[in-house]
Amino acid sequence: MTLTTIMKQQEAILKKEISALQRKIRTMPEGLFVCYKYKNNTKWYQELKDSSGKVTRKYIPKAEKALAKKLAQKTYYTKLLSAKKLQYKNVQRYLEHDKAPSAYKLLDEAAKMDDLLDEIVYKRAWEKAEYPRNEDHKEKLLFKTKKGDMVRSKTEAYIADTLFELSIPYRYECPIVFDGITLHPDFTILHPTKGITFIWEHLGLMDKPSYVQNSLGKIPLYISQGYMPGYNLLFSYESKKYPIDYALIREMVQFYFCE
């Protein structure tokens, strides 16, 4: 896959994300959220701007927490939208001036040698290699990913699809043995340029105490094998009451794997 192809894919992904954010913002209350803190007091305001550009702020009482929450979410989406638009503009600027090096053309023409070039150029050999699958509760593998894997939740499917769309090699529930204890982390991911192996655990049942206790018990095992939280050990969380925002998942993928 050439850099130009990757950039075109990124352009399409960003275009969809920008449209999705714009749709969300249009459904939200007018204005943005502003919060001021003084000593132990916190005050919320709804910041409004008229057609002339004049800014006014309307106090939001604590009784209207729902409004404050929606405005805070809108403010986040607005800032995220600005960042996405800048990324989109930079991708378009690259594509407008792109002159693909002959080496990329050579690789495209050598597609028939894909199996020979995998390990050296694409790093697909790692992803294609066979590995034992988790045989526990196979009946719960209900969601099919774009790569063809079956996973256990919609969020795991979204994580897998995001990695797949960005050509980041991963394995789902690949077993890892620590001192005789076998774990099946949700995702084992090979960094596409650094060659570092990451583990990503999506903790999707945080409203269940036994699940939380079991998940926390895995962390010391991971650390003992060199997987450090925030470096090459990643976590995402959600519960029924607080589902994860998929935009944050894509942000995580881009932060850790798309340098």
Side-chain angles (χ1 to χ4, degrees), residues 37-209:
K37 291 184 178 181
Y38 179 72
K39 294 184 178 180
N40 294 326
N41 295 321
T42 301
K43 290 187 176 182
W44 301 332
Y45 292 89
Q46 182 178 17
E47 185 175 88
L48 303 166
K49 184 183 292 186
D50 62 21
S51 57
S52 67
K54 181 180 177 181
V55 175
T56 58
R57 292 191 176 96
K58 178 183 176 183
Y59 175 70
I60 305 174
K62 293 297 186 289
E64 297 181 24
K65 185 176 180 180
L67 172 62
K69 189 174 182 179
K70 289 180 180 179
L71 287 172
Q73 188 70 59
K74 182 184 178 184
T75 301
Y76 167 75
Y77 284 147
T78 301
K79 292 180 179 180
L80 184 59
L81 177 61
S82 297
K84 294 293 182 183
K85 284 182 174 180
L86 180 58
Q87 292 176 19
Y88 185 71
K89 184 177 180 180
N90 290 336
V91 169
Q92 286 187 313
R93 186 181 293 116
Y94 170 84
L95 291 172
E96 287 172 3
H97 298 89
D98 175 49
K99 293 182 179 179
S102 59
Y104 288 123
K105 293 181 180 179
L106 177 61
L107 290 177
D108 283 340
E109 293 169 0
K112 293 181 180 179
M113 297 189 296
D114 186 63
D115 289 341
L116 299 176
L117 295 172
D118 271 346
E119 190 167 0
I120 300 172
V121 180
Y122 297 118
K123 294 187 180 294
R124 292 180 191 159
W126 179 88
E127 189 174 26
K128 288 181 178 180
E130 291 294 325
Y131 60 90
R133 303 287 174 155
N134 187 2
E135 297 295 324
D136 294 338
H137 305 292
K138 294 178 68 174
E139 72 280 0
K140 294 183 179 180
L141 297 170
L142 301 176
F143 302 90
K144 190 172 184 178
T145 70
K146 292 182 178 179
K147 195 173 80 170
D149 294 320
M150 298 300 295
V151 299
R152 301 176 189 275
S153 71
K154 290 182 180 179
T155 302
E156 287 185 346
Y158 185 82
I159 294 172
D161 289 345
T162 302
L163 294 169
F164 181 75
E165 289 170 4
L166 298 176
S167 300
I168 300 167
Y170 75 87
R171 295 174 180 174
Y172 180 71
E173 293 192 344
C174 178
I176 300 178
V177 180
F178 302 143
D179 297 328
I181 300 174
T182 301
L183 299 179
H184 293 87
D186 295 328
F187 296 94
T188 305
I189 306 167
L190 181 66
H191 194 289
T193 58
K194 296 180 179 179
I196 299 172
T197 301
F198 285 70
I199 284 176
W200 185 334
E201 288 278 23
H202 176 66
L203 308 181
L205 301 173
M206 294 301 288
D207 41 0
K208 295 187 176 182

Side-chain angles (χ1 to χ4, degrees), residues 243-257:
I244 194 167
D245 186 336
Y246 284 178
L248 298 180
I249 289 176
R250 188 168 289 274
E251 287 292 303
M252 283 184 64
V253 172
Q254 292 176 331
F255 179 82
Y256 283 101
F257 304 106

